[in-house]
Each structure stands twice: as C-alpha cells, then as structure tokens.
Amino acid sequence: MNEHLQSAVQSLKARFSLQESEFRGQVSLVLPAEQLLPVCQALRDEFDFEMLVDETAIDYWPQTAPRFHLLYQLLSLKHNTRLGLRVPLEGNAPSLPTLAGIYPNANWYEREIWDMFGIRFENHSDLRRILMPHDWEGHPLRKDFPLGYEEVMFSFNFDEIDGRKPYVEE
C-alpha cells in the first residue's frame, strides 16, 4: 500500500471507525450506509479521490442480514491510487443516499442498480429504469427473481416436449 492510500485509510478509520480489508493488493473499507456521504466527501476533498470508477451491487440471497452489498471503486488520478468501498444493506426495502452530488457520474450507475436490483437511492434526481422496459415487473439481478426458460428439445425428448408446446388450433 502506498503512502497516500495508507494515510487516507488510517485517517478515515480513526475518524469514522471503519473496517479495512485487503485482498491481492486491493484495499477496501467496509462502512455503514449512514456514513457513505461523509466518507466519500472526505475522500474527494481531502484525499484527492476525484473519480468514481464503478458502482455495483451483490445479492447474497437467501442471506437476509445483510442481503446486499454495494461496491464502489474510487480512483485518485493525482496519486494513481484505487480504493474500494463496501456498504452492506438489509434485504427489506434497501436504500442509500445518492452519491450524484459528490460524483455526478453516479447518476447512471445508481439508475442501473435500481433497475436491476431494486435498491433505492434517496434524493436521486431521476431514478427510473434504464435497461429494462418501463412496464417491467421486478428486478432481474435479484437472486429470488423467477427464471423463465424453455427446455431444450433433443431427439430423445422430442415427443415429450412437443406434446407440451401450445400450438394454434387449425
């Protein structure tokens, strides 16, 4: 870990009492949802993490406490340093404050997360579907989303599947 990242992590851990983890050289901080905005504000203003590179979510269903983790990747171009943030969320009506006021490109990431996972972002300027049709029911990347599929027809099961297919009556 370089000096800049070490100083940022130590300062934030002391100020906000965060957990630190490191895996294969990638440093991440685990923080509660209510500390997301102040931590990101400090990272941008005090430690030069001026770019939000990525924001995504993970669903750990059937685990419910916490069911979701939101992952953020921040970059300091000045110091060529990356830092990950991980925010655990409960499964019932998950929500977080929007980061669009600190990192404007979070707008699009948050719309995608809302569309795919159903995680609401409070005070978001335009929280609506971005990938799925507007009338779509549910959030397809949740692990409890029902899968729809058609069984593959082979020579050995042709008659069985063909008998179940709905055909138009003549």
Side-chain angles (χ1 to χ4, degrees):
M1 181 177 348
N2 68 25
E3 290 177 25
H4 175 258
L5 184 58
Q6 190 170 13
S7 126
V9 167
Q10 294 306 321
S11 174
L12 290 171
K13 281 174 57 178
R15 191 180 331 169
F16 297 103
S17 66
L18 308 176
Q19 297 175 0
E20 175 189 359
S21 67
E22 186 172 346
F23 181 72
R24 295 186 179 176
Q26 172 69 44
V27 178
S28 295
L29 295 174
V30 180
L31 56 141
E34 58 271 4
Q35 290 184 342
L36 178 64
L37 289 180
V39 167
C40 286
Q41 189 78 44
L43 283 167
R44 188 192 69 181
D45 297 343
E46 299 171 29
F47 301 106
D48 300 320
F49 283 92
E50 64 269 4
M51 179 183 255
L52 175 67
V53 177
D54 194 20
E55 179 179 348
T56 190
I58 300 172
D59 184 0
Y60 287 109
W61 185 81
Q63 176 182 322
T64 58
R67 176 176 175 176
F68 298 100
H69 279 208
L70 248 0
L71 305 171
Y72 299 89
Q73 286 293 319
L74 303 176
L75 173 66
S76 171
L77 294 168
K78 182 177 179 181
H79 301 283
N80 192 24
T81 305
R82 290 179 182 267
L83 176 65
L85 300 177
R86 181 180 283 260
V87 181
L89 290 174
E90 300 301 323
N92 296 333
S95 69
L96 271 174
T98 183
L99 274 185
I102 299 171
Y103 298 107
N105 66 327
N107 185 328
W108 292 92
Y109 292 129
E110 290 170 356
R111 283 182 62 192
E112 181 179 358
I113 292 168
W114 158 247
D115 195 3
M116 296 287 111
F117 289 95
I119 298 171
R120 182 164 295 283
F121 292 91
E122 300 157 6
N123 300 320
H124 192 280
S125 62
D126 189 20
L127 196 61
R128 60 188 163 104
R129 294 216 181 256
I130 191 170
L131 296 173
M132 301 304 292
H134 295 291
D135 58 349
W136 188 268
E137 294 290 327
H139 304 282
L141 288 184
R142 284 188 171 202
K143 288 188 177 177
D144 58 351
F145 189 76
L147 298 176
Y149 64 93
E150 185 173 326
E151 191 174 355
V152 179
M153 190 181 301
F154 294 103
S155 58
F156 71 88
N157 64 355
F158 180 85
D159 294 331
E160 177 187 340
I161 292 175
D162 192 52
R164 288 185 297 195
K165 283 192 173 183
Y167 287 108
V168 176
E169 300 289 329
E170 296 203 22

